[in-house]
Amino acid sequence: HVRIEEGRHAVVNNIGFPGTLSLIGADVKILRSEFRKTHGKDAVYIREARAEVWDNLFRKVGGDGVDFDGGSGLVAQNEFVDCSDEAIDLSGDYKLKVTGNRIFDARGGRIAAEKNLEEIRAQNSFGYSRRKRTFPPIRVTLLD
């Protein structure tokens, strides 16, 4: 039950912590919390841990909402709105249940997974956020 806002990644004693909240080999439950306006690679970075990330809000995240590099657990019933990269990024040897998440961004919602991507996509919902989408300018050349 915490709100983390305006956080960023760090390097401490030459060890990189890519998330606003980085958990390396530390089992954790993150429940009913809020991550807003984070900067850097990830709002939550989890590596080689057992984790439950359940019923949280990730809004305007500058990178991935949750980046899971190996481990096991549950990512469920979260809402991801306007993550600048993927809402959920799964890599390494993971054993996760990813279900019931609502993912909205200017591109229609994004998840990255090294395995079972279609199965994971089928168990979550995706849509466009209300944030105004921007498109590159169109160059027009008038002929004489």
Side-chain angles (χ1 to χ4, degrees):
H1 297 273
V2 299
R3 174 188 273 177
I4 296 175
E5 195 165 345
E6 300 287 344
R8 61 188 69 249
H9 63 280
V11 176
V12 178
N13 296 329
N14 293 321
I15 299 171
F17 296 91
T20 295
L21 176 60
S22 293
L23 302 154
I24 301 170
D27 295 349
V28 66
K29 289 184 182 181
I30 303 170
L31 309 170
R32 296 181 189 97
S33 294
E34 190 172 340
F35 298 84
R36 295 177 145 238
K37 300 178 187 173
T38 62
H39 311 281
K41 186 179 175 314
D42 311 309
V44 175
Y45 175 77
I46 300 167
R47 183 172 70 208
E48 297 302 328
R50 166 113 179 94
E52 290 183 25
V53 181
W54 181 73
D55 195 24
N56 300 287
L57 173 63
F58 297 83
R59 184 179 295 278
K60 294 186 180 178
V61 170
D64 298 330
V66 174
D67 188 331
F68 218 112
D69 288 341
S72 62
L74 173 71
V75 180
Q77 304 301 319
N78 299 289
E79 185 168 57
F80 298 88
V81 181
D82 293 329
C83 295
S84 64
D85 208 356
E86 287 88 17
I88 303 169
D89 186 350
L90 308 174
S91 59
D93 184 22
Y94 57 87
K95 295 175 185 76
L96 286 169
K97 182 170 184 162
V98 181
T99 186
N101 297 288
R102 297 163 309 281
I103 302 165
F104 305 97
D105 65 27
R107 297 181 193 165
R110 292 166 292 156
I111 287 182
E114 289 184 2
K115 59 184 182 182
N116 304 327
L117 179 59
E118 292 309 312
E119 178 184 321
I120 291 168
R121 288 190 60 80
Q123 295 178 18
N124 296 277
S125 58
F126 302 85
Y128 289 94
S129 66
R130 295 178 189 235
R131 186 172 72 175
K132 183 179 177 183
R133 295 193 315 173
T134 59
F135 298 93
I138 297 172
R139 176 176 275 164
V140 177
T141 304
L142 299 176
L143 302 175
D144 292 331

